[in-house]
Amino acid sequence: MLTPKERLNNVMNGTAVDRPPCVCPGGMMNMVISELMESADIYMPEAHTDPRKMAGLARAVYDSGCFENYGVPFCMTIEAEEMGAEVELGSRVYEPHVTGYAIESVEEYRKLPQMDLNSGRAKVVLDAIRILKEETDGVPIIGNLTGPISTASSVMEPVVFYKELRKKNELAHAYMEFITCQLIAFGRAQIKAGADVIAVSDPSGTGEILGPKYFKEFAVTYLNRLLDGLQDEKMGTIVHICGQMSPVYKEVDEVRSSVLSFDSVVPMKEARAKLRDRVLMGNVSTYALEFGEPDKVKALARGCVRSGSDIISPACGLGMRSSLANVQAILQSLKEDA
């Protein structure tokens, strides 16, 4: 029987597996729910700032039969915070979020500090990965990065940022290059610490928001700049993009990741038809995971497999009040059908 790490690696490399892997990367796709925190006796927001607790919660996800990976961190605010944005760390029922921006215009990007990987929450993530690496074998460790567009629109006000992509195009590219260089450094540090895969979530970099022209010019360009910056380490990579894909399938296919992940608004059968040669991940409804029943979740997971998903995962981050039984039902359905 394949280990979870072997199963995920095989799928990413296009070789045979006994069944689809079941993962939830972390980052934007947070997999920690209230019931899990209670069973592990480890809670947020403390786990956002303590590497032992962060690693402990990531391990609890696997040990509780939810997903076949470890994934850290559990939010997508670390990069923005390290570059000067103000962040509220949330609670046991909601995740960290940006409460104050670092700059008001792309013109000010030179004022931003570079990420300090030796202190703050960036170091917490790296230490948590090291702990998981030391204490486990056979389970893939997924490190996470907030995508270039999403980071850029967290460091400054999003509406202003989107307008300045057009109005201050040259400076917007310079700002995006700065942001992407910081993400490359953080990603490579996660790989050095022991991450087996890097997942990049860019929910703000959608074709629906940007339109095909700017999606290609900014989202695709800087996702690929980031992915290429990690490739010296020959790592597997996952890119998750939110929103409808129908206007931008051609552009999405240019993203040079090992895996493409979509949310539940994207019909997996359609994605498979448009992206025949790509490894696809997704996309069990998080609404069903929070408000449905285990049998419904199992049916949705099986539907993802039939529709062409290679890696089964939630469509987005889990609601903290999702039931443990519902979350466990995804992996149970895959094992039952193996």
Side-chain angles (χ1 to χ4, degrees), residues 262-268 281-286 304 309 311-315:
F262 305 123
D263 69 26
S264 57
V265 74
V266 177
M268 191 54 68
M281 182 173 112
N283 56 359
V284 179
S285 165
T286 51
C304 289
S309 181
I311 302 169
I312 308 305
S313 72

PDB file of all heavy atoms in Angstrom, residues 262-268 281-286 304 309 311-315:
ATOM      1  N   PHE A 262      -9.502  24.355  -7.831  1.00  0.00           N
ATOM      2  CA  PHE A 262     -10.593  25.300  -8.055  1.00  0.00           C
ATOM      3  C   PHE A 262     -11.638  25.158  -6.967  1.00  0.00           C
ATOM      4  O   PHE A 262     -11.786  24.103  -6.341  1.00  0.00           O
ATOM      5  CB  PHE A 262     -11.241  25.054  -9.416  1.00  0.00           C
ATOM      6  CG  PHE A 262     -10.281  25.094 -10.566  1.00  0.00           C
ATOM      7  CD1 PHE A 262     -10.152  24.009 -11.424  1.00  0.00           C
ATOM      8  CD2 PHE A 262      -9.495  26.203 -10.791  1.00  0.00           C
ATOM      9  CE1 PHE A 262      -9.270  24.036 -12.485  1.00  0.00           C
ATOM     10  CE2 PHE A 262      -8.602  26.245 -11.856  1.00  0.00           C
ATOM     11  CZ  PHE A 262      -8.487  25.154 -12.704  1.00  0.00           C
ATOM     12  N   ASP A 263     -12.411  26.227  -6.774  1.00  0.00           N
ATOM     13  CA  ASP A 263     -13.480  26.155  -5.772  1.00  0.00           C
ATOM     14  C   ASP A 263     -14.749  25.576  -6.392  1.00  0.00           C
ATOM     15  O   ASP A 263     -14.786  25.216  -7.576  1.00  0.00           O
ATOM     16  CB  ASP A 263     -13.709  27.506  -5.081  1.00  0.00           C
ATOM     17  CG  ASP A 263     -14.317  28.574  -5.970  1.00  0.00           C
ATOM     18  OD1 ASP A 263     -15.012  28.224  -6.938  1.00  0.00           O
ATOM     19  OD2 ASP A 263     -14.126  29.766  -5.681  1.00  0.00           O
ATOM     20  N   SER A 264     -15.797  25.479  -5.584  1.00  0.00           N
ATOM     21  CA  SER A 264     -16.972  24.707  -5.983  1.00  0.00           C
ATOM     22  C   SER A 264     -17.793  25.366  -7.079  1.00  0.00           C
ATOM     23  O   SER A 264     -18.659  24.718  -7.678  1.00  0.00           O
ATOM     24  CB  SER A 264     -17.867  24.434  -4.769  1.00  0.00           C
ATOM     25  OG  SER A 264     -18.260  25.648  -4.149  1.00  0.00           O
ATOM     26  N   VAL A 265     -17.532  26.640  -7.394  1.00  0.00           N
ATOM     27  CA  VAL A 265     -18.266  27.292  -8.476  1.00  0.00           C
ATOM     28  C   VAL A 265     -17.828  26.755  -9.844  1.00  0.00           C
ATOM     29  O   VAL A 265     -18.522  26.929 -10.838  1.00  0.00           O
ATOM     30  CB  VAL A 265     -18.091  28.827  -8.398  1.00  0.00           C
ATOM     31  CG1 VAL A 265     -16.711  29.263  -8.853  1.00  0.00           C
ATOM     32  CG2 VAL A 265     -19.166  29.537  -9.195  1.00  0.00           C
ATOM     33  N   VAL A 266     -16.676  26.089  -9.876  1.00  0.00           N
ATOM     34  CA  VAL A 266     -16.158  25.525 -11.124  1.00  0.00           C
ATOM     35  C   VAL A 266     -16.615  24.075 -11.261  1.00  0.00           C
ATOM     36  O   VAL A 266     -16.275  23.241 -10.420  1.00  0.00           O
ATOM     37  CB  VAL A 266     -14.620  25.581 -11.157  1.00  0.00           C
ATOM     38  CG1 VAL A 266     -14.074  24.919 -12.420  1.00  0.00           C
ATOM     39  CG2 VAL A 266     -14.135  27.024 -11.078  1.00  0.00           C
ATOM     40  N   PRO A 267     -17.395  23.738 -12.279  1.00  0.00           N
ATOM     41  CA  PRO A 267     -17.771  22.334 -12.492  1.00  0.00           C
ATOM     42  C   PRO A 267     -16.527  21.520 -12.846  1.00  0.00           C
ATOM     43  O   PRO A 267     -15.842  21.812 -13.834  1.00  0.00           O
ATOM     44  CB  PRO A 267     -18.751  22.390 -13.670  1.00  0.00           C
ATOM     45  CG  PRO A 267     -19.176  23.833 -13.762  1.00  0.00           C
ATOM     46  CD  PRO A 267     -18.008  24.633 -13.281  1.00  0.00           C
ATOM     47  N   MET A 268     -16.225  20.506 -12.045  1.00  0.00           N
ATOM     48  CA  MET A 268     -15.002  19.744 -12.274  1.00  0.00           C
ATOM     49  C   MET A 268     -15.006  19.051 -13.631  1.00  0.00           C
ATOM     50  O   MET A 268     -13.969  18.924 -14.295  1.00  0.00           O
ATOM     51  CB  MET A 268     -14.802  18.729 -11.151  1.00  0.00           C
ATOM     52  CG  MET A 268     -13.433  18.067 -11.148  1.00  0.00           C
ATOM     53  SD  MET A 268     -12.023  19.225 -11.132  1.00  0.00           S
ATOM     54  CE  MET A 268     -12.188  19.922  -9.486  1.00  0.00           C
ATOM     55  N   MET A 281      -7.356  19.380  -8.767  1.00  0.00           N
ATOM     56  CA  MET A 281      -7.669  19.134  -7.356  1.00  0.00           C
ATOM     57  C   MET A 281      -8.969  19.833  -6.987  1.00  0.00           C
ATOM     58  O   MET A 281      -9.247  20.948  -7.421  1.00  0.00           O
ATOM     59  CB  MET A 281      -6.533  19.669  -6.478  1.00  0.00           C
ATOM     60  CG  MET A 281      -6.708  19.428  -4.989  1.00  0.00           C
ATOM     61  SD  MET A 281      -5.233  19.914  -4.066  1.00  0.00           S
ATOM     62  CE  MET A 281      -5.869  21.325  -3.163  1.00  0.00           C
ATOM     63  N   GLY A 282      -9.783  19.166  -6.191  1.00  0.00           N
ATOM     64  CA  GLY A 282     -11.011  19.761  -5.686  1.00  0.00           C
ATOM     65  C   GLY A 282     -12.113  18.724  -5.632  1.00  0.00           C
ATOM     66  O   GLY A 282     -11.864  17.523  -5.777  1.00  0.00           O
ATOM     67  N   ASN A 283     -13.306  19.256  -5.534  1.00  0.00           N
ATOM     68  CA  ASN A 283     -13.689  20.548  -4.977  1.00  0.00           C
ATOM     69  C   ASN A 283     -15.015  20.345  -4.242  1.00  0.00           C
ATOM     70  O   ASN A 283     -16.058  20.813  -4.656  1.00  0.00           O
ATOM     71  CB  ASN A 283     -13.746  21.668  -6.029  1.00  0.00           C
ATOM     72  CG  ASN A 283     -14.663  21.381  -7.210  1.00  0.00           C
ATOM     73  OD1 ASN A 283     -15.270  20.327  -7.288  1.00  0.00           O
ATOM     74  ND2 ASN A 283     -14.783  22.328  -8.112  1.00  0.00           N
ATOM     75  N   VAL A 284     -14.914  19.590  -3.131  1.00  0.00           N
ATOM     76  CA  VAL A 284     -16.089  19.256  -2.322  1.00  0.00           C
ATOM     77  C   VAL A 284     -16.606  20.522  -1.638  1.00  0.00           C
ATOM     78  O   VAL A 284     -15.852  21.236  -0.983  1.00  0.00           O
ATOM     79  CB  VAL A 284     -15.760  18.183  -1.273  1.00  0.00           C
ATOM     80  CG1 VAL A 284     -16.985  17.865  -0.405  1.00  0.00           C
ATOM     81  CG2 VAL A 284     -15.244  16.916  -1.951  1.00  0.00           C
ATOM     82  N   SER A 285     -17.884  20.776  -1.789  1.00  0.00           N
ATOM     83  CA  SER A 285     -18.501  22.001  -1.281  1.00  0.00           C
ATOM     84  C   SER A 285     -18.266  22.196   0.215  1.00  0.00           C
ATOM     85  O   SER A 285     -18.594  21.325   1.032  1.00  0.00           O
ATOM     86  CB  SER A 285     -20.007  21.971  -1.548  1.00  0.00           C
ATOM     87  OG  SER A 285     -20.683  22.948  -0.784  1.00  0.00           O
ATOM     88  N   THR A 286     -17.707  23.341   0.578  1.00  0.00           N
ATOM     89  CA  THR A 286     -17.529  23.644   2.002  1.00  0.00           C
ATOM     90  C   THR A 286     -18.858  23.980   2.671  1.00  0.00           C
ATOM     91  O   THR A 286     -18.985  23.848   3.890  1.00  0.00           O
ATOM     92  CB  THR A 286     -16.532  24.809   2.186  1.00  0.00           C
ATOM     93  OG1 THR A 286     -16.915  25.907   1.359  1.00  0.00           O
ATOM     94  CG2 THR A 286     -15.129  24.374   1.815  1.00  0.00           C
ATOM     95  N   CYS A 304     -16.783  14.209  -7.455  1.00  0.00           N
ATOM     96  CA  CYS A 304     -15.526  14.833  -7.877  1.00  0.00           C
ATOM     97  C   CYS A 304     -14.634  13.824  -8.585  1.00  0.00           C
ATOM     98  O   CYS A 304     -14.014  14.131  -9.607  1.00  0.00           O
ATOM     99  CB  CYS A 304     -14.797  15.430  -6.665  1.00  0.00           C
ATOM    100  SG  CYS A 304     -15.569  16.896  -5.962  1.00  0.00           S
ATOM    101  N   SER A 309     -11.494  14.779 -11.040  1.00  0.00           N
ATOM    102  CA  SER A 309     -10.541  15.328 -10.080  1.00  0.00           C
ATOM    103  C   SER A 309      -9.519  14.264  -9.706  1.00  0.00           C
ATOM    104  O   SER A 309      -9.873  13.129  -9.366  1.00  0.00           O
ATOM    105  CB  SER A 309     -11.274  15.816  -8.821  1.00  0.00           C
ATOM    106  OG  SER A 309     -10.353  16.376  -7.905  1.00  0.00           O
ATOM    107  N   ILE A 311      -7.049  14.796  -7.268  1.00  0.00           N
ATOM    108  CA  ILE A 311      -6.809  14.934  -5.830  1.00  0.00           C
ATOM    109  C   ILE A 311      -8.088  15.491  -5.228  1.00  0.00           C
ATOM    110  O   ILE A 311      -8.571  16.537  -5.666  1.00  0.00           O
ATOM    111  CB  ILE A 311      -5.628  15.877  -5.539  1.00  0.00           C
ATOM    112  CG1 ILE A 311      -4.351  15.374  -6.217  1.00  0.00           C
ATOM    113  CG2 ILE A 311      -5.413  16.030  -4.038  1.00  0.00           C
ATOM    114  CD1 ILE A 311      -3.198  16.383  -6.190  1.00  0.00           C
ATOM    115  N   ILE A 312      -8.640  14.822  -4.248  1.00  0.00           N
ATOM    116  CA  ILE A 312      -9.910  15.259  -3.674  1.00  0.00           C
ATOM    117  C   ILE A 312      -9.621  16.138  -2.461  1.00  0.00           C
ATOM    118  O   ILE A 312      -8.804  15.801  -1.597  1.00  0.00           O
ATOM    119  CB  ILE A 312     -10.782  14.060  -3.263  1.00  0.00           C
ATOM    120  CG1 ILE A 312     -10.914  13.092  -4.446  1.00  0.00           C
ATOM    121  CG2 ILE A 312     -12.154  14.532  -2.806  1.00  0.00           C
ATOM    122  CD1 ILE A 312     -11.437  13.706  -5.722  1.00  0.00           C
ATOM    123  N   SER A 313     -10.303  17.279  -2.425  1.00  0.00           N
ATOM    124  CA  SER A 313     -10.092  18.246  -1.349  1.00  0.00           C
ATOM    125  C   SER A 313     -11.344  19.100  -1.194  1.00  0.00           C
ATOM    126  O   SER A 313     -12.198  19.135  -2.082  1.00  0.00           O
ATOM    127  CB  SER A 313      -8.903  19.165  -1.665  1.00  0.00           C
ATOM    128  OG  SER A 313      -9.247  20.080  -2.696  1.00  0.00           O
ATOM    129  N   PRO A 314     -11.454  19.815  -0.066  1.00  0.00           N
ATOM    130  CA  PRO A 314     -12.513  20.815   0.034  1.00  0.00           C
ATOM    131  C   PRO A 314     -12.321  21.895  -1.022  1.00  0.00           C
ATOM    132  O   PRO A 314     -11.199  22.139  -1.489  1.00  0.00           O
ATOM    133  CB  PRO A 314     -12.334  21.385   1.447  1.00  0.00           C
ATOM    134  CG  PRO A 314     -11.554  20.358   2.181  1.00  0.00           C
ATOM    135  CD  PRO A 314     -10.666  19.724   1.168  1.00  0.00           C
ATOM    136  N   ALA A 315     -13.412  22.563  -1.371  1.00  0.00           N
ATOM    137  CA  ALA A 315     -13.361  23.590  -2.403  1.00  0.00           C
ATOM    138  C   ALA A 315     -12.685  24.866  -1.918  1.00  0.00           C
ATOM    139  O   ALA A 315     -12.219  25.669  -2.731  1.00  0.00           O
ATOM    140  CB  ALA A 315     -14.768  23.914  -2.888  1.00  0.00           C
TER     141      ALA A 315
END
